[in-house]
Amino acid sequence: MSLDARLSHPPARVFPYLADPARWPEFAPAVEFRQRIGDGLPEVGSRWWAVDRIFGPFKVRFADVLEVIEPERRVVWHSTSPWNSRVEYVCVSEGEGTRVRADYEGDVAGWLRLVALLPTFVLRRILLRDFRGLSRVLDAEAAVTRRVQLSGATSSVNR
């Protein structure tokens, strides 16, 4: 399944969220937990312990593995069993914003196969919630930055 989402923020602001699983709980409703396994800077092969909430209280434990990273442009994640999935995010500058193409593929295992039975439009709607959440987080950050800049400008005028 592929999705296109447009965010009104440049790739330099969008990409760091897609490339850092530790930030996913801030905007992705199903993501409960991500913790880096190991030290050092993230690189291809880096792993994160992961817990997602599915259908309310049900939790799925797995690992996310970084497969590809091209800063501010492309990142590919592999989720181990039971998700057995791969997601690729491609960020393209579009005016002052970013168009994100997300490609999801995989072969879920066990009881998670129930998720695969959902109609495509339902899955699409669930996955798009992540981008709406990311947009809210980025909008809030931008509002704080504007307030700080305005208060700095006001205080320098008052000197």
Side-chain angles (χ1 to χ4, degrees):
M1 172 185 312
S2 294
L3 297 175
D4 278 310
R6 183 166 192 309
L7 295 115
S8 59
H9 301 275
R13 301 234 6 259
V14 172
F15 187 83
Y17 280 92
L18 301 176
D20 183 358
R23 299 179 90 172
W24 295 351
E26 296 177 44
F27 65 88
V31 175
E32 183 166 297
F33 174 81
R34 295 293 190 275
Q35 181 182 18
R36 173 84 189 281
I37 302 168
D39 298 319
L41 294 173
E43 59 187 7
V44 171
S46 295
R47 298 168 57 89
W48 281 257
W49 291 122
V51 177
D52 285 355
R53 277 184 320 276
I54 307 299
F55 302 124
F58 301 104
K59 293 181 181 181
V60 179
R61 289 167 173 49
F62 56 99
D64 283 321
V65 181
L66 180 59
E67 288 188 347
V68 175
I69 187 161
E70 298 171 23
E72 293 189 23
R73 185 178 135 22
R74 179 174 170 250
V75 64
V76 179
W77 293 101
H78 168 76
S79 295
T80 63
S81 185
W83 278 127
N84 298 318
S85 63
R86 180 182 185 275
V87 62
E88 176 177 6
Y89 298 111
V90 177
C91 296
V92 177
S93 182
E94 190 172 270
E96 293 184 18
T98 303
R99 167 103 26 219
V100 179
R101 178 171 176 91
D103 289 312
Y104 302 89
E105 58 186 50
D107 185 23
V108 295
W111 67 270
L112 280 176
R113 288 192 176 157
L114 294 175
V115 174
L117 297 175
L118 292 171
T120 302
F121 77 92
V122 173
L123 288 172
R124 184 177 308 279
R125 192 169 177 183
I126 290 168
L127 294 169
L128 282 171
R129 291 184 319 171
D130 294 351
F131 292 103
R132 286 192 300 274
L134 179 53
S135 186
R136 282 191 298 273
V137 167
L138 291 169
D139 290 348
E141 282 181 0
V144 168
T145 300
R146 280 191 301 274
R147 282 195 298 274
V148 167
Q149 289 171 341
L150 284 174
S151 70
T154 304
S155 64
S156 65
V157 168
N158 292 333
R159 288 184 203 177

